[in-house]
């Protein structure tokens, strides 16, 4: 890989053998590097391959603004706990996590602990990412001082969830969290259920809604099956369908996008599954 731009001693913008621009990080990787010359591969800790039209120059500059010690700790920790491999298509994740950790370190040094209001919701709605975030926090704490409070796992979880969305806007993840909570509350109220968010059917519903949000952002809602699958769902589960239409109204109000008929039908199917699971029957 040949250097295109040396941002600092730890970040280099380069071009790989496939002709694509990549961002290289590693302690001392920029020291002695020269534009147009090969980068020492032994110094490369992580290779970031920007995707979705993201500007490599801008991302490289953002990485370079993060303190050397924090960036190195975060990059290594992401790989150590299995969140990222050596090659990553999500430089924005490393940037967001490193920026958050830098702020958290400053707060920790001043004895400030934030009580994140979404802690309980995050632990239940994003159980897999929360477990990852706990491991990531431990790995970061192994490398940095002062030690960050356990509550920071909540914020790290939201960054991991956010990495799956096209916008890269953490506010969207906060909105999604609130909407999912609201949707579950509606299902419980309309069907008289006491749904455990740790149950399998609730977990499936939450996963489905999360992917629905991704499809909404990517303008790729499910369409084209309404004449077959959708009509069958609506005919067999009329009450669940009415609930799904209510849920669709919530999503449309909060996000400003109408849901397709197929999306409403599949919401109805998951609502029916939760209702029948609570009754001890099967869909």
């Amino acid at each position: 890989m040949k250097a295109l731009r040396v941002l600092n001693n730890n970040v280099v913008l380069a071009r790989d053998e496939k002709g694509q621009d990549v961002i290289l990080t590693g302690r001392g990787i920029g020291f002695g590097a020269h534009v147009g010359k090969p980068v020492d591969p032994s110094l490369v800790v992580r290779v970031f391959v920007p995707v979705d039209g993201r500007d490599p120059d801008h991302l490289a500059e953002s990485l370079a603004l993060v303190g050397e010690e924090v960036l190195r700790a975060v990059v290594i920790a992401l790989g150590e706990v299995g969140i990222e491999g050596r090659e990553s298509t999500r430089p924005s994740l490393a940037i967001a996590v490193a920026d958050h950790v830098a702020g958290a370190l400053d707060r920790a040094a001043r004895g400030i602990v934030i009580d994140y209001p979404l802690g309980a919701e995050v632990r239940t709605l994003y159980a897999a990412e929360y477990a990852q975030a706990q491991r990531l926090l431990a790995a970061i704490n192994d490398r940095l001082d002062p030690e960050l409070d356990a509550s920071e796992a909540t914020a790290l979880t939201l960054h991991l969830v956010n990495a799956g969305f096209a916008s890269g806007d953490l506010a969207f993840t906060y909105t999604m969290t609130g909407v999912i909570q609201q949707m579950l509350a509606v299902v419980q109220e309309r069907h008289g259920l006491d749904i455990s968010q740790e149950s399998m059917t609730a977990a499936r519903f939450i996963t489905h809604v999360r992917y629905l949000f991704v499809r909404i952002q990517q303008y790729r809602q499910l369409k084209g099956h309404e004449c077959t699958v959708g009509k069958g769902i609506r005919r067999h589960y009329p009450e669940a369908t009415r609930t799904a239409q209510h849920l669709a109204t919530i999503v449309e109000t909060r996000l400003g996008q109408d849901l397709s008929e197929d999306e409403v039908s599949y919401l109805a199917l998951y609502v029916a599954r939760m209702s029948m699971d609570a009754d001890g029957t099967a869909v």
Side-chain angles (χ1 to χ4, degrees):
M1 290 181 283
K2 294 184 178 180
L4 297 177
R5 183 181 176 190
V6 178
L7 282 300
N8 59 27
N9 281 346
N10 310 292
V11 181
V12 172
L13 180 64
R15 183 158 293 155
D16 66 12
E17 57 278 1
K18 298 177 183 178
Q20 60 185 351
D21 292 354
V22 296
I23 304 167
L24 311 178
T25 65
R27 176 170 286 181
I29 192 172
F31 184 76
H34 299 284
V35 174
K37 302 294 183 181
V39 177
D40 185 350
S42 68
L43 297 177
V44 179
V45 173
R46 180 66 49 80
V47 179
F48 291 106
V49 185
V51 294
D52 297 331
R54 295 175 185 262
D55 179 37
D57 270 287
H58 176 71
L59 290 171
E61 289 174 355
S62 298
L63 275 172
L65 290 174
V66 179
E68 172 187 347
E69 185 180 12
V70 172
L71 177 60
R72 182 172 183 272
V74 167
V75 166
I76 293 175
L78 284 168
E80 183 178 278
V81 302
I83 294 174
E84 294 277 64
R86 188 170 185 270
E87 185 171 292
S88 167
T89 59
R90 301 186 296 181
S92 56
L93 174 61
I95 294 168
V97 171
D99 183 65
H100 177 83
V101 168
L105 285 169
D106 180 65
R107 292 193 298 273
R110 292 185 287 158
I112 300 173
V113 176
I114 292 181
D115 182 19
Y116 291 99
L118 294 176
E121 290 83 352
V122 166
R123 287 192 293 274
T124 54
L125 296 180
Y126 314 124
E129 287 89 348
Y130 184 74
Q132 286 183 318
Q134 287 181 304
R135 296 195 297 273
L136 177 61
L137 180 61
I140 291 171
N141 278 337
D142 284 343
R143 292 173 173 80
L144 296 174
D145 187 64
E147 185 171 295
L148 301 182
D149 188 78
S151 64
E152 294 298 339
T154 296
L156 293 178
T157 300
L158 291 172
H159 282 295
L160 295 181
V161 172
N162 188 59
F165 293 99
S167 69
D169 182 4
L170 194 60
F172 187 83
T173 301
Y174 278 101
T175 298
M176 180 182 71
T177 303
V179 172
I180 293 175
Q181 283 292 102
Q182 188 177 357
M183 293 170 80
L184 284 170
V186 166
V187 173
Q188 293 185 82
E189 181 181 349
R190 289 179 65 98
H191 294 265
L193 305 178
D194 183 14
I195 302 172
S196 169
Q197 292 182 8
E198 297 177 357
S199 70
M200 184 61 69
T201 49
R204 289 187 184 125
F205 175 81
I206 293 167
T207 299
H208 175 77
V209 174
R210 288 179 59 182
Y211 281 108
L212 166 61
F213 272 63
V214 172
R215 292 192 295 275
I216 289 172
Q217 274 217 324
Q218 296 177 347
Y219 301 99
R220 295 173 61 184
Q221 290 190 47
L222 300 175
K223 294 180 180 179
H225 303 286
E226 176 57 26
C227 60
T228 53
V229 177
K231 288 183 178 179
I233 292 172
R234 289 167 183 263
R235 182 173 64 254
H236 284 93
Y237 311 114
E239 184 59 34
T241 296
R242 284 189 284 273
T243 299
Q245 290 167 337
H246 187 168
L247 301 182
T249 299
I250 292 173
V251 174
E252 292 160 4
T253 300
R254 297 290 295 274
L255 300 185
Q257 288 195 45
D258 294 340
L259 294 190
S260 70
E261 292 296 325
D262 281 341
E263 292 291 5
V264 176
S265 295
Y266 280 106
L267 279 176
L269 180 61
Y270 280 93
V271 170
R273 283 178 174 175
M274 281 194 288
S275 180
M276 292 187 176
D277 180 62
D279 292 338
T281 57
V283 176

